[in-house]
Amino acid sequence: MKTLIVVDMQNDFITGALGSKDAEAIVENVVNLVKSFDGRVIFTRDTHLENYLTTQEGRNLPVEHCIKDTHGWQICDELKPYAKEIVDKITFGSIDLPGMIDADTEEVILCGICTDICVISNAMLIKAHYPEMKVSVYASCCAGVTPQSHETALNAMKAVQIKIVE
């Protein structure tokens, strides 16, 4: 059995407060991957509250985004029909996510936004929790804050034996 983790494919990261052309460009790739995937699919959703700007993250990134129950917090329309299993996370990596993965899972595949923040955080949490499990990241289904930080994150994941699929 394989598990696909679709990280933070939310409106605010695609066309909203922190959106980018790179994020917009991967939506179709992610949709095609999800539609053709034979296995369990789990979506993560970055989730902040109204007090976001007073949190540590908010003080370091003072752009309100993914505020719970807003349009920007929602999974993008193209992927919403496939988002049956969602884990809300209050920070970059979900400490609950590894526990949701069956120990006998053959491979965990990750894709989504942002390669250099939330994708890498979740990939490394899963790899640390399951060191013998195959963990892969589909590069063409990820977007970083910048193209350079995207590549840096891919190289960092390679260094800890996370397979990067081009």
Side-chain angles (χ1 to χ4, degrees):
M1 178 173 155
K2 294 182 179 183
T3 299
L4 174 63
I5 309 295
V6 181
V7 178
D8 298 357
M9 291 296 293
Q10 296 164 262
N11 293 317
D12 268 348
F13 290 128
I14 300 168
T15 56
L18 294 172
S20 71
K21 295 295 180 195
D22 289 341
E24 288 180 44
I26 68 161
V27 172
E28 185 177 341
N29 293 349
V30 175
V31 169
N32 290 335
L33 176 60
V34 170
K35 283 171 60 173
S36 66
F37 191 74
D38 184 24
R40 183 178 179 195
V41 179
I42 302 171
F43 282 74
T44 70
R45 186 167 49 195
D46 196 36
T47 302
H48 300 296
L49 302 177
E50 295 291 331
N51 70 338
Y52 171 76
L53 292 176
T54 67
T55 67
Q56 181 174 329
E57 180 183 332
R59 288 188 300 272
N60 286 290
L61 176 62
V63 177
E64 286 189 335
H65 66 281
C66 300
I67 306 297
K68 187 174 183 173
D69 296 325
T70 65
H71 174 75
W73 175 72
Q74 300 294 330
I75 303 294
C76 70
D77 288 344
E78 296 88 341
L79 287 163
K80 196 177 286 188
Y82 308 102
K84 306 292 186 219
E85 190 172 1
I86 302 172
V87 58
D88 290 337
K89 58 185 188 55
I90 59 170
T91 189
F92 311 124
S94 170
I95 58 171
D96 297 325
L97 192 56
M100 296 174 67
I101 297 167
D102 298 325
D104 62 346
T105 299
E106 171 189 332
E107 179 180 13
V108 175
I109 298 162
L110 292 97
C111 66
I113 304 168
C114 292
T115 319
D116 44 331
I117 302 173
C118 295
V119 174
I120 191 172
S121 296
N122 286 290
M124 289 192 173
L125 281 168
I126 293 165
K127 190 63 176 173
H129 197 82
Y130 297 107
E132 296 302 317
M133 189 175 288
K134 182 177 181 185
V135 179
S136 302
V137 171
Y138 282 32
S140 66
C141 294
C142 291
V145 174
T146 68
Q148 297 79 12
S149 62
H150 168 79
E151 287 301 320
T152 299
L154 294 176
N155 288 329
M157 288 185 278
K158 280 182 201 174
V160 294
Q161 301 172 0
I162 293 169
K163 181 178 179 176
I164 305 304
V165 179
E166 298 299 333

